[in-house]
Amino acid sequence: MNVLVTGGAGFIGQHLCRALYARGDSVRVLDNFDHAYDPALKQAPPFAEVVRGDVCDPAVVRDCLQDIDAVCHLAARAGVRESIEDPEPYGRVNVGGTLTLLRGMADRGVRRMVFASSSSVYGNAGGPSSESDPADRPASPYAASKRAAELFCFASGLDVTAARLFTVYGPGQRPGMAIARFVQLARAGKHIPVYGDGTSQRDYTYVSDIVSGLLLGLDRAQGFRIVNLGGGKPVVLTEMLAAVADATGRQLRVSWLPVQPGDVPLTHADIGLARTWLGWRPTVPFREGMMRYVASL
Ligand SMILES: NC(=O)c1ccc[n+]([C@@H]2O[C@H](COP(=O)([O-])OP(=O)(O)OC[C@H]3O[C@@H](n4cnc5c(N)ncnc54)[C@H](O)[C@@H]3O)[C@@H](O)[C@H]2O)c1
């Protein structure tokens, strides 16, 4: 199969491209190597055809879709807190870029896509969150953009699996994400600023598990369907800090700060549908994933 991966040079995209290639698919990447974080950390996979371009540009998207059988749509501005400070690119790229891609697919007769949506669409709902729960109270522009993009996917009439990813971590993860920052500061022996009182919980999901779920979601896409991909076992922030200390072998110097706007106290995936529909389950326990991540640095 010829697969277009938008955002294929980013954290999850690099892992996904490798998995597609390993199973025999031809991979084309569309990525603009944006400056949301250091572009030197992004990698164009050597086995892929790489187009440096913008998913918001209809002509670029149309060219990229030539001879393509299926699309993995990961290109986006990520990051909850950043979206509160500067929401504009989230609307332009996450919503507008998705719409441009869907229109290009319809024009080219490409029907199948897996879309990287986000657990953030559940807002402050608590958990465990299932796909049928309301998702109309986003706590940030990022969450709103992902929900809006899902709705455009639905309205397209194409075969789209919208995979709601729960905090993804692992080798190559974005430097702004909590685990990456904490590990880097711990290794440097510096103070770690931590927001909240330590009781918040995140349903961390190791990147290889996300990749296997995205591939299944792509292969099974028929009509529009939403599916959660999450570890299914939320980790309390203090446990995460302990895992950082263990994996780095450092004693942490933590400075506690007030909760940040947009932060939700809990994410917890109900992964029943992923199990029954896709036959998917997460395989990498959090502590092991942390050891693998730190070993990769
Ligand atoms: N990492 C997570 O925990 C997480 C959780 C939920 C959802 N997601 C979603 O998964 C996807 C991948 O996330 P990631 O963590 O790998 O982020 P990332 O920032 O590493 O990857 C996104 C990629 O998209 C590219 N991009 C951005 N704007 C573009 C544009 N206009 N045109 C073309 N390319 C563009 C970037 O250069 C980058 O390589 C994103 O859609 C993100 O919202 C990630």
Side-chain angles (χ1 to χ4, degrees):
M1 207 162 53
N2 295 330
V3 182
L4 174 66
V5 182
T6 74
F11 160 44
I12 301 170
Q14 291 178 32
H15 290 271
L16 181 61
C17 287
R18 280 197 288 275
L20 285 162
Y21 180 69
R23 72 178 199 172
D25 290 324
S26 294
V27 182
R28 183 178 294 156
V29 166
L30 170 60
D31 201 301
N32 68 350
F33 295 76
D34 75 2
H35 285 68
Y37 61 89
D38 182 358
L41 297 172
K42 298 181 185 176
Q43 271 176 22
F47 50 80
E49 178 191 345
V50 178
V51 178
R52 283 182 182 251
D54 193 329
V55 72
C56 305
D57 182 331
V60 169
V61 167
R62 203 182 139 71
D63 281 355
C64 280
L65 285 165
Q66 185 159 19
D67 300 325
I68 287 295
D69 302 304
V71 176
C72 301
H73 178 35
L74 277 64
R77 285 298 288 264
V80 168
R81 287 177 195 155
E82 298 91 326
S83 78
I84 293 169
E85 285 152 26
D86 184 17
E88 189 277 336
Y90 290 78
R92 182 169 44 80
V93 179
N94 299 8
V95 185
T98 301
L99 184 54
T100 302
L101 183 62
L102 292 167
R103 292 191 62 180
M105 289 173 64
D107 284 352
R108 285 271 190 206
V110 181
R111 286 205 54 85
R112 199 177 340 151
M113 174 162 115
V114 65
F115 165 58
S117 187
S118 162
S119 61
S120 64
V121 302
Y122 293 117
N124 283 304
S129 301
S130 83
E131 294 83 352
S132 55
D133 288 350
D136 54 3
R137 293 284 183 276
S140 66
Y142 170 70
S145 74
K146 285 291 174 180
R147 182 62 182 138
E150 286 183 353
L151 295 172
F152 275 113
C153 290
F154 173 78
S156 71
L158 298 173
D159 296 321
V160 180
T161 301
R164 290 181 174 166
L165 314 186
F166 283 68
T167 317
V168 190
Y169 73 105
Q173 79 175 109
R174 299 199 315 274
M177 297 185 73
I179 287 178
R181 274 189 294 119
F182 293 179
V183 165
Q184 191 234 327
L185 291 168
R187 282 158 52 107
K190 294 189 176 160
H191 273 282
I192 302 181
V194 179
Y195 300 104
D197 61 3
T199 59
S200 64
Q201 298 179 49
R202 289 288 172 274
D203 201 341
Y204 294 107
T205 322
Y206 195 69
V207 65
S208 59
D209 285 328
I210 288 293
V211 165
S212 65
L214 289 171
L215 292 178
L216 287 163
L218 181 69
D219 293 343
R220 305 274 168 90
Q222 195 170 25
F224 175 78
R225 203 149 184 198
I226 293 172
V227 67
N228 287 340
L229 296 179
K233 281 192 197 136
V235 177
V236 180
L237 181 51
T238 46
E239 274 178 57
M240 186 267 256
L241 288 165
V244 170
D246 284 353
T248 57
R250 302 294 176 107
Q251 265 201 329
L252 307 190
R253 301 158 70 200
V254 173
S255 315
W256 295 97
L257 299 168
V259 175
Q260 292 280 290
D263 278 359
V264 296
L266 166 71
T267 63
H268 183 181
D270 176 335
I271 50 174
L273 181 63
R275 282 183 202 280
T276 53
W277 176 42
L278 300 177
W280 177 86
R281 64 182 179 84
T283 60
V284 182
F286 181 65
R287 287 263 172 175
E288 187 185 326
M290 282 295 297
M291 300 304 275
R292 286 194 205 176
Y293 169 56
V294 171
S296 75
L297 297 174

PDB file of all heavy atoms in Angstrom, residues 193-227:
ATOM      1  N   PRO A 193      10.342  22.195  37.890  1.00  0.00           N
ATOM      2  CA  PRO A 193       9.081  22.868  38.219  1.00  0.00           C
ATOM      3  C   PRO A 193       7.906  21.942  37.909  1.00  0.00           C
ATOM      4  O   PRO A 193       7.778  21.459  36.787  1.00  0.00           O
ATOM      5  CB  PRO A 193       9.066  24.093  37.296  1.00  0.00           C
ATOM      6  CG  PRO A 193      10.017  23.794  36.195  1.00  0.00           C
ATOM      7  CD  PRO A 193      10.913  22.673  36.621  1.00  0.00           C
ATOM      8  N   VAL A 194       7.098  21.668  38.920  1.00  0.00           N
ATOM      9  CA  VAL A 194       5.964  20.756  38.738  1.00  0.00           C
ATOM     10  C   VAL A 194       4.696  21.507  39.112  1.00  0.00           C
ATOM     11  O   VAL A 194       4.599  22.106  40.187  1.00  0.00           O
ATOM     12  CB  VAL A 194       6.118  19.499  39.625  1.00  0.00           C
ATOM     13  CG1 VAL A 194       4.919  18.575  39.440  1.00  0.00           C
ATOM     14  CG2 VAL A 194       7.404  18.754  39.278  1.00  0.00           C
ATOM     15  N   TYR A 195       3.708  21.464  38.205  1.00  0.00           N
ATOM     16  CA  TYR A 195       2.456  22.206  38.413  1.00  0.00           C
ATOM     17  C   TYR A 195       1.437  21.339  39.144  1.00  0.00           C
ATOM     18  O   TYR A 195       1.283  20.166  38.846  1.00  0.00           O
ATOM     19  CB  TYR A 195       1.900  22.667  37.074  1.00  0.00           C
ATOM     20  CG  TYR A 195       2.867  23.579  36.348  1.00  0.00           C
ATOM     21  CD1 TYR A 195       3.620  23.113  35.272  1.00  0.00           C
ATOM     22  CD2 TYR A 195       3.045  24.889  36.757  1.00  0.00           C
ATOM     23  CE1 TYR A 195       4.523  23.939  34.612  1.00  0.00           C
ATOM     24  CE2 TYR A 195       3.949  25.722  36.119  1.00  0.00           C
ATOM     25  CZ  TYR A 195       4.686  25.245  35.039  1.00  0.00           C
ATOM     26  OH  TYR A 195       5.581  26.057  34.407  1.00  0.00           O
ATOM     27  N   GLY A 196       0.734  21.977  40.110  1.00  0.00           N
ATOM     28  CA  GLY A 196      -0.322  21.271  40.843  1.00  0.00           C
ATOM     29  C   GLY A 196       0.205  20.738  42.166  1.00  0.00           C
ATOM     30  O   GLY A 196       1.278  21.143  42.641  1.00  0.00           O
ATOM     31  N   ASP A 197      -0.557  19.795  42.765  1.00  0.00           N
ATOM     32  CA  ASP A 197      -0.171  19.268  44.080  1.00  0.00           C
ATOM     33  C   ASP A 197       0.283  17.812  44.009  1.00  0.00           C
ATOM     34  O   ASP A 197       0.398  17.138  45.035  1.00  0.00           O
ATOM     35  CB  ASP A 197      -1.349  19.414  45.058  1.00  0.00           C
ATOM     36  CG  ASP A 197      -2.571  18.640  44.582  1.00  0.00           C
ATOM     37  OD1 ASP A 197      -2.481  17.957  43.539  1.00  0.00           O
ATOM     38  OD2 ASP A 197      -3.620  18.718  45.247  1.00  0.00           O
ATOM     39  N   GLY A 198       0.510  17.331  42.804  1.00  0.00           N
ATOM     40  CA  GLY A 198       1.035  15.962  42.664  1.00  0.00           C
ATOM     41  C   GLY A 198      -0.036  14.912  42.513  1.00  0.00           C
ATOM     42  O   GLY A 198       0.267  13.742  42.307  1.00  0.00           O
ATOM     43  N   THR A 199      -1.323  15.315  42.610  1.00  0.00           N
ATOM     44  CA  THR A 199      -2.389  14.302  42.557  1.00  0.00           C
ATOM     45  C   THR A 199      -2.962  14.110  41.153  1.00  0.00           C
ATOM     46  O   THR A 199      -3.780  13.215  40.947  1.00  0.00           O
ATOM     47  CB  THR A 199      -3.559  14.671  43.499  1.00  0.00           C
ATOM     48  OG1 THR A 199      -4.069  15.954  43.089  1.00  0.00           O
ATOM     49  CG2 THR A 199      -3.114  14.727  44.947  1.00  0.00           C
ATOM     50  N   SER A 200      -2.568  14.950  40.205  1.00  0.00           N
ATOM     51  CA  SER A 200      -3.136  14.792  38.855  1.00  0.00           C
ATOM     52  C   SER A 200      -2.673  13.448  38.276  1.00  0.00           C
ATOM     53  O   SER A 200      -1.644  12.899  38.684  1.00  0.00           O
ATOM     54  CB  SER A 200      -2.711  15.950  37.953  1.00  0.00           C
ATOM     55  OG  SER A 200      -1.319  15.932  37.763  1.00  0.00           O
ATOM     56  N   GLN A 201      -3.468  12.930  37.345  1.00  0.00           N
ATOM     57  CA  GLN A 201      -3.179  11.606  36.791  1.00  0.00           C
ATOM     58  C   GLN A 201      -3.247  11.643  35.269  1.00  0.00           C
ATOM     59  O   GLN A 201      -4.129  12.293  34.710  1.00  0.00           O
ATOM     60  CB  GLN A 201      -4.214  10.584  37.294  1.00  0.00           C
ATOM     61  CG  GLN A 201      -4.200  10.423  38.798  1.00  0.00           C
ATOM     62  CD  GLN A 201      -5.258   9.415  39.239  1.00  0.00           C
ATOM     63  OE1 GLN A 201      -5.350   8.319  38.696  1.00  0.00           O
ATOM     64  NE2 GLN A 201      -6.046   9.794  40.223  1.00  0.00           N
ATOM     65  N   ARG A 202      -2.341  10.899  34.646  1.00  0.00           N
ATOM     66  CA  ARG A 202      -2.311  10.817  33.188  1.00  0.00           C
ATOM     67  C   ARG A 202      -2.238   9.361  32.756  1.00  0.00           C
ATOM     68  O   ARG A 202      -1.497   8.570  33.329  1.00  0.00           O
ATOM     69  CB  ARG A 202      -1.074  11.535  32.615  1.00  0.00           C
ATOM     70  CG  ARG A 202      -1.111  13.041  32.704  1.00  0.00           C
ATOM     71  CD  ARG A 202      -2.110  13.643  31.716  1.00  0.00           C
ATOM     72  NE  ARG A 202      -2.291  15.074  31.938  1.00  0.00           N
ATOM     73  CZ  ARG A 202      -3.138  15.626  32.802  1.00  0.00           C
ATOM     74  NH1 ARG A 202      -3.910  14.868  33.555  1.00  0.00           N
ATOM     75  NH2 ARG A 202      -3.248  16.940  32.920  1.00  0.00           N
ATOM     76  N   ASP A 203      -2.992   9.082  31.711  1.00  0.00           N
ATOM     77  CA  ASP A 203      -3.020   7.717  31.184  1.00  0.00           C
ATOM     78  C   ASP A 203      -1.943   7.597  30.106  1.00  0.00           C
ATOM     79  O   ASP A 203      -2.231   7.650  28.912  1.00  0.00           O
ATOM     80  CB  ASP A 203      -4.415   7.447  30.614  1.00  0.00           C
ATOM     81  CG  ASP A 203      -4.708   5.976  30.518  1.00  0.00           C
ATOM     82  OD1 ASP A 203      -3.750   5.188  30.531  1.00  0.00           O
ATOM     83  OD2 ASP A 203      -5.886   5.617  30.428  1.00  0.00           O
ATOM     84  N   TYR A 204      -0.683   7.483  30.548  1.00  0.00           N
ATOM     85  CA  TYR A 204       0.446   7.468  29.612  1.00  0.00           C
ATOM     86  C   TYR A 204       0.412   6.226  28.732  1.00  0.00           C
ATOM     87  O   TYR A 204       0.080   5.135  29.187  1.00  0.00           O
ATOM     88  CB  TYR A 204       1.770   7.478  30.379  1.00  0.00           C
ATOM     89  CG  TYR A 204       2.001   8.746  31.144  1.00  0.00           C
ATOM     90  CD1 TYR A 204       1.893   8.777  32.533  1.00  0.00           C
ATOM     91  CD2 TYR A 204       2.314   9.926  30.483  1.00  0.00           C
ATOM     92  CE1 TYR A 204       2.098   9.950  33.239  1.00  0.00           C
ATOM     93  CE2 TYR A 204       2.515  11.104  31.183  1.00  0.00           C
ATOM     94  CZ  TYR A 204       2.413  11.109  32.557  1.00  0.00           C
ATOM     95  OH  TYR A 204       2.605  12.266  33.242  1.00  0.00           O
ATOM     96  N   THR A 205       0.797   6.425  27.457  1.00  0.00           N
ATOM     97  CA  THR A 205       0.771   5.318  26.505  1.00  0.00           C
ATOM     98  C   THR A 205       2.097   5.290  25.751  1.00  0.00           C
ATOM     99  O   THR A 205       2.511   6.304  25.170  1.00  0.00           O
ATOM    100  CB  THR A 205      -0.387   5.495  25.494  1.00  0.00           C
ATOM    101  OG1 THR A 205      -1.522   6.037  26.174  1.00  0.00           O
ATOM    102  CG2 THR A 205      -0.759   4.167  24.871  1.00  0.00           C
ATOM    103  N   TYR A 206       2.755   4.148  25.775  1.00  0.00           N
ATOM    104  CA  TYR A 206       4.071   4.045  25.135  1.00  0.00           C
ATOM    105  C   TYR A 206       3.906   4.104  23.616  1.00  0.00           C
ATOM    106  O   TYR A 206       2.947   3.553  23.050  1.00  0.00           O
ATOM    107  CB  TYR A 206       4.762   2.743  25.553  1.00  0.00           C
ATOM    108  CG  TYR A 206       6.232   2.751  25.229  1.00  0.00           C
ATOM    109  CD1 TYR A 206       7.100   3.584  25.915  1.00  0.00           C
ATOM    110  CD2 TYR A 206       6.736   1.946  24.219  1.00  0.00           C
ATOM    111  CE1 TYR A 206       8.457   3.606  25.611  1.00  0.00           C
ATOM    112  CE2 TYR A 206       8.093   1.967  23.909  1.00  0.00           C
ATOM    113  CZ  TYR A 206       8.942   2.804  24.614  1.00  0.00           C
ATOM    114  OH  TYR A 206      10.277   2.833  24.304  1.00  0.00           O
ATOM    115  N   VAL A 207       4.877   4.746  22.963  1.00  0.00           N
ATOM    116  CA  VAL A 207       4.697   5.082  21.545  1.00  0.00           C
ATOM    117  C   VAL A 207       4.528   3.851  20.652  1.00  0.00           C
ATOM    118  O   VAL A 207       3.763   3.892  19.685  1.00  0.00           O
ATOM    119  CB  VAL A 207       5.847   6.013  21.063  1.00  0.00           C
ATOM    120  CG1 VAL A 207       7.205   5.322  21.102  1.00  0.00           C
ATOM    121  CG2 VAL A 207       5.546   6.603  19.695  1.00  0.00           C
ATOM    122  N   SER A 208       5.180   2.731  20.969  1.00  0.00           N
ATOM    123  CA  SER A 208       5.024   1.558  20.087  1.00  0.00           C
ATOM    124  C   SER A 208       3.596   1.018  20.175  1.00  0.00           C
ATOM    125  O   SER A 208       3.061   0.480  19.190  1.00  0.00           O
ATOM    126  CB  SER A 208       6.033   0.463  20.441  1.00  0.00           C
ATOM    127  OG  SER A 208       5.864   0.062  21.784  1.00  0.00           O
ATOM    128  N   ASP A 209       2.969   1.150  21.346  1.00  0.00           N
ATOM    129  CA  ASP A 209       1.567   0.731  21.455  1.00  0.00           C
ATOM    130  C   ASP A 209       0.663   1.649  20.635  1.00  0.00           C
ATOM    131  O   ASP A 209      -0.289   1.192  19.983  1.00  0.00           O
ATOM    132  CB  ASP A 209       1.125   0.734  22.928  1.00  0.00           C
ATOM    133  CG  ASP A 209       1.689  -0.456  23.692  1.00  0.00           C
ATOM    134  OD1 ASP A 209       1.868  -1.530  23.079  1.00  0.00           O
ATOM    135  OD2 ASP A 209       1.962  -0.313  24.903  1.00  0.00           O
ATOM    136  N   ILE A 210       0.958   2.939  20.668  1.00  0.00           N
ATOM    137  CA  ILE A 210       0.171   3.879  19.856  1.00  0.00           C
ATOM    138  C   ILE A 210       0.305   3.533  18.378  1.00  0.00           C
ATOM    139  O   ILE A 210      -0.680   3.512  17.633  1.00  0.00           O
ATOM    140  CB  ILE A 210       0.639   5.333  20.128  1.00  0.00           C
ATOM    141  CG1 ILE A 210       0.188   5.789  21.519  1.00  0.00           C
ATOM    142  CG2 ILE A 210       0.155   6.289  19.034  1.00  0.00           C
ATOM    143  CD1 ILE A 210      -1.307   5.943  21.708  1.00  0.00           C
ATOM    144  N   VAL A 211       1.528   3.231  17.962  1.00  0.00           N
ATOM    145  CA  VAL A 211       1.755   2.916  16.545  1.00  0.00           C
ATOM    146  C   VAL A 211       0.950   1.681  16.140  1.00  0.00           C
ATOM    147  O   VAL A 211       0.289   1.667  15.094  1.00  0.00           O
ATOM    148  CB  VAL A 211       3.264   2.724  16.271  1.00  0.00           C
ATOM    149  CG1 VAL A 211       3.506   2.050  14.930  1.00  0.00           C
ATOM    150  CG2 VAL A 211       3.966   4.074  16.320  1.00  0.00           C
ATOM    151  N   SER A 212       0.963   0.643  16.970  1.00  0.00           N
ATOM    152  CA  SER A 212       0.208  -0.562  16.577  1.00  0.00           C
ATOM    153  C   SER A 212      -1.287  -0.251  16.517  1.00  0.00           C
ATOM    154  O   SER A 212      -1.995  -0.744  15.628  1.00  0.00           O
ATOM    155  CB  SER A 212       0.503  -1.741  17.506  1.00  0.00           C
ATOM    156  OG  SER A 212       0.043  -1.459  18.801  1.00  0.00           O
ATOM    157  N   GLY A 213      -1.780   0.615  17.407  1.00  0.00           N
ATOM    158  CA  GLY A 213      -3.194   0.997  17.365  1.00  0.00           C
ATOM    159  C   GLY A 213      -3.529   1.826  16.130  1.00  0.00           C
ATOM    160  O   GLY A 213      -4.585   1.648  15.513  1.00  0.00           O
ATOM    161  N   LEU A 214      -2.625   2.725  15.760  1.00  0.00           N
ATOM    162  CA  LEU A 214      -2.868   3.543  14.563  1.00  0.00           C
ATOM    163  C   LEU A 214      -2.917   2.664  13.307  1.00  0.00           C
ATOM    164  O   LEU A 214      -3.757   2.864  12.422  1.00  0.00           O
ATOM    165  CB  LEU A 214      -1.784   4.619  14.413  1.00  0.00           C
ATOM    166  CG  LEU A 214      -1.825   5.761  15.437  1.00  0.00           C
ATOM    167  CD1 LEU A 214      -0.577   6.642  15.319  1.00  0.00           C
ATOM    168  CD2 LEU A 214      -3.084   6.623  15.280  1.00  0.00           C
ATOM    169  N   LEU A 215      -2.025   1.683  13.237  1.00  0.00           N
ATOM    170  CA  LEU A 215      -2.019   0.797  12.060  1.00  0.00           C
ATOM    171  C   LEU A 215      -3.331   0.002  11.982  1.00  0.00           C
ATOM    172  O   LEU A 215      -3.928  -0.125  10.913  1.00  0.00           O
ATOM    173  CB  LEU A 215      -0.831  -0.171  12.119  1.00  0.00           C
ATOM    174  CG  LEU A 215       0.553   0.464  11.967  1.00  0.00           C
ATOM    175  CD1 LEU A 215       1.639  -0.605  12.084  1.00  0.00           C
ATOM    176  CD2 LEU A 215       0.683   1.189  10.632  1.00  0.00           C
ATOM    177  N   LEU A 216      -3.777  -0.502  13.127  1.00  0.00           N
ATOM    178  CA  LEU A 216      -5.046  -1.242  13.123  1.00  0.00           C
ATOM    179  C   LEU A 216      -6.197  -0.317  12.741  1.00  0.00           C
ATOM    180  O   LEU A 216      -7.088  -0.688  11.971  1.00  0.00           O
ATOM    181  CB  LEU A 216      -5.297  -1.851  14.509  1.00  0.00           C
ATOM    182  CG  LEU A 216      -4.421  -3.048  14.870  1.00  0.00           C
ATOM    183  CD1 LEU A 216      -4.445  -3.309  16.376  1.00  0.00           C
ATOM    184  CD2 LEU A 216      -4.894  -4.289  14.114  1.00  0.00           C
ATOM    185  N   GLY A 217      -6.177   0.898  13.284  1.00  0.00           N
ATOM    186  CA  GLY A 217      -7.231   1.866  12.968  1.00  0.00           C
ATOM    187  C   GLY A 217      -7.239   2.203  11.481  1.00  0.00           C
ATOM    188  O   GLY A 217      -8.308   2.391  10.877  1.00  0.00           O
ATOM    189  N   LEU A 218      -6.063   2.269  10.879  1.00  0.00           N
ATOM    190  CA  LEU A 218      -5.970   2.544   9.439  1.00  0.00           C
ATOM    191  C   LEU A 218      -6.531   1.367   8.640  1.00  0.00           C
ATOM    192  O   LEU A 218      -7.363   1.540   7.753  1.00  0.00           O
ATOM    193  CB  LEU A 218      -4.503   2.782   9.058  1.00  0.00           C
ATOM    194  CG  LEU A 218      -4.248   3.103   7.586  1.00  0.00           C
ATOM    195  CD1 LEU A 218      -4.797   4.482   7.237  1.00  0.00           C
ATOM    196  CD2 LEU A 218      -2.764   3.038   7.260  1.00  0.00           C
ATOM    197  N   ASP A 219      -6.086   0.181   9.002  1.00  0.00           N
ATOM    198  CA  ASP A 219      -6.475  -0.997   8.225  1.00  0.00           C
ATOM    199  C   ASP A 219      -7.971  -1.293   8.328  1.00  0.00           C
ATOM    200  O   ASP A 219      -8.574  -1.801   7.398  1.00  0.00           O
ATOM    201  CB  ASP A 219      -5.671  -2.230   8.690  1.00  0.00           C
ATOM    202  CG  ASP A 219      -4.191  -2.088   8.360  1.00  0.00           C
ATOM    203  OD1 ASP A 219      -3.854  -1.227   7.517  1.00  0.00           O
ATOM    204  OD2 ASP A 219      -3.368  -2.810   8.968  1.00  0.00           O
ATOM    205  N   ARG A 220      -8.555  -0.975   9.494  1.00  0.00           N
ATOM    206  CA  ARG A 220      -9.977  -1.299   9.690  1.00  0.00           C
ATOM    207  C   ARG A 220     -10.911  -0.133   9.366  1.00  0.00           C
ATOM    208  O   ARG A 220     -12.120  -0.257   9.576  1.00  0.00           O
ATOM    209  CB  ARG A 220     -10.233  -1.677  11.152  1.00  0.00           C
ATOM    210  CG  ARG A 220      -9.382  -2.784  11.687  1.00  0.00           C
ATOM    211  CD  ARG A 220     -10.007  -4.156  11.371  1.00  0.00           C
ATOM    212  NE  ARG A 220      -9.012  -5.186  11.665  1.00  0.00           N
ATOM    213  CZ  ARG A 220      -8.874  -5.772  12.844  1.00  0.00           C
ATOM    214  NH1 ARG A 220      -9.692  -5.470  13.817  1.00  0.00           N
ATOM    215  NH2 ARG A 220      -7.940  -6.683  13.032  1.00  0.00           N
ATOM    216  N   ALA A 221     -10.356   1.007   8.920  1.00  0.00           N
ATOM    217  CA  ALA A 221     -11.202   2.188   8.741  1.00  0.00           C
ATOM    218  C   ALA A 221     -12.353   1.899   7.777  1.00  0.00           C
ATOM    219  O   ALA A 221     -12.132   1.457   6.651  1.00  0.00           O
ATOM    220  CB  ALA A 221     -10.357   3.354   8.218  1.00  0.00           C
ATOM    221  N   GLN A 222     -13.551   2.126   8.258  1.00  0.00           N
ATOM    222  CA  GLN A 222     -14.736   1.980   7.418  1.00  0.00           C
ATOM    223  C   GLN A 222     -15.799   2.904   7.982  1.00  0.00           C
ATOM    224  O   GLN A 222     -16.185   2.751   9.150  1.00  0.00           O
ATOM    225  CB  GLN A 222     -15.219   0.534   7.432  1.00  0.00           C
ATOM    226  CG  GLN A 222     -16.189   0.299   6.321  1.00  0.00           C
ATOM    227  CD  GLN A 222     -16.506  -1.172   6.131  1.00  0.00           C
ATOM    228  OE1 GLN A 222     -16.393  -1.967   7.058  1.00  0.00           O
ATOM    229  NE2 GLN A 222     -16.941  -1.524   4.945  1.00  0.00           N
ATOM    230  N   GLY A 223     -16.252   3.865   7.197  1.00  0.00           N
ATOM    231  CA  GLY A 223     -17.108   4.911   7.740  1.00  0.00           C
ATOM    232  C   GLY A 223     -16.288   5.717   8.740  1.00  0.00           C
ATOM    233  O   GLY A 223     -15.052   5.624   8.770  1.00  0.00           O
ATOM    234  N   PHE A 224     -16.952   6.504   9.566  1.00  0.00           N
ATOM    235  CA  PHE A 224     -16.241   7.302  10.572  1.00  0.00           C
ATOM    236  C   PHE A 224     -16.374   6.618  11.923  1.00  0.00           C
ATOM    237  O   PHE A 224     -17.469   6.269  12.341  1.00  0.00           O
ATOM    238  CB  PHE A 224     -16.839   8.709  10.655  1.00  0.00           C
ATOM    239  CG  PHE A 224     -16.235   9.537  11.756  1.00  0.00           C
ATOM    240  CD1 PHE A 224     -14.982  10.126  11.595  1.00  0.00           C
ATOM    241  CD2 PHE A 224     -16.898   9.720  12.970  1.00  0.00           C
ATOM    242  CE1 PHE A 224     -14.412  10.877  12.615  1.00  0.00           C
ATOM    243  CE2 PHE A 224     -16.330  10.474  13.992  1.00  0.00           C
ATOM    244  CZ  PHE A 224     -15.087  11.050  13.806  1.00  0.00           C
ATOM    245  N   ARG A 225     -15.243   6.436  12.584  1.00  0.00           N
ATOM    246  CA  ARG A 225     -15.314   5.812  13.911  1.00  0.00           C
ATOM    247  C   ARG A 225     -14.245   6.410  14.812  1.00  0.00           C
ATOM    248  O   ARG A 225     -13.113   6.646  14.376  1.00  0.00           O
ATOM    249  CB  ARG A 225     -15.083   4.313  13.768  1.00  0.00           C
ATOM    250  CG  ARG A 225     -15.660   3.545  14.906  1.00  0.00           C
ATOM    251  CD  ARG A 225     -16.100   2.172  14.467  1.00  0.00           C
ATOM    252  NE  ARG A 225     -16.749   1.505  15.590  1.00  0.00           N
ATOM    253  CZ  ARG A 225     -16.945   0.208  15.687  1.00  0.00           C
ATOM    254  NH1 ARG A 225     -16.555  -0.589  14.724  1.00  0.00           N
ATOM    255  NH2 ARG A 225     -17.547  -0.299  16.744  1.00  0.00           N
ATOM    256  N   ILE A 226     -14.616   6.621  16.066  1.00  0.00           N
ATOM    257  CA  ILE A 226     -13.672   7.146  17.058  1.00  0.00           C
ATOM    258  C   ILE A 226     -13.230   5.989  17.943  1.00  0.00           C
ATOM    259  O   ILE A 226     -14.047   5.146  18.315  1.00  0.00           O
ATOM    260  CB  ILE A 226     -14.371   8.213  17.935  1.00  0.00           C
ATOM    261  CG1 ILE A 226     -14.710   9.450  17.091  1.00  0.00           C
ATOM    262  CG2 ILE A 226     -13.509   8.603  19.122  1.00  0.00           C
ATOM    263  CD1 ILE A 226     -15.560  10.477  17.813  1.00  0.00           C
ATOM    264  N   VAL A 227     -11.936   5.963  18.280  1.00  0.00           N
ATOM    265  CA  VAL A 227     -11.464   4.918  19.200  1.00  0.00           C
ATOM    266  C   VAL A 227     -10.392   5.493  20.133  1.00  0.00           C
ATOM    267  O   VAL A 227      -9.518   6.245  19.700  1.00  0.00           O
ATOM    268  CB  VAL A 227     -10.953   3.679  18.414  1.00  0.00           C
ATOM    269  CG1 VAL A 227      -9.685   3.983  17.613  1.00  0.00           C
ATOM    270  CG2 VAL A 227     -10.722   2.493  19.344  1.00  0.00           C
TER     271      VAL A 227
END
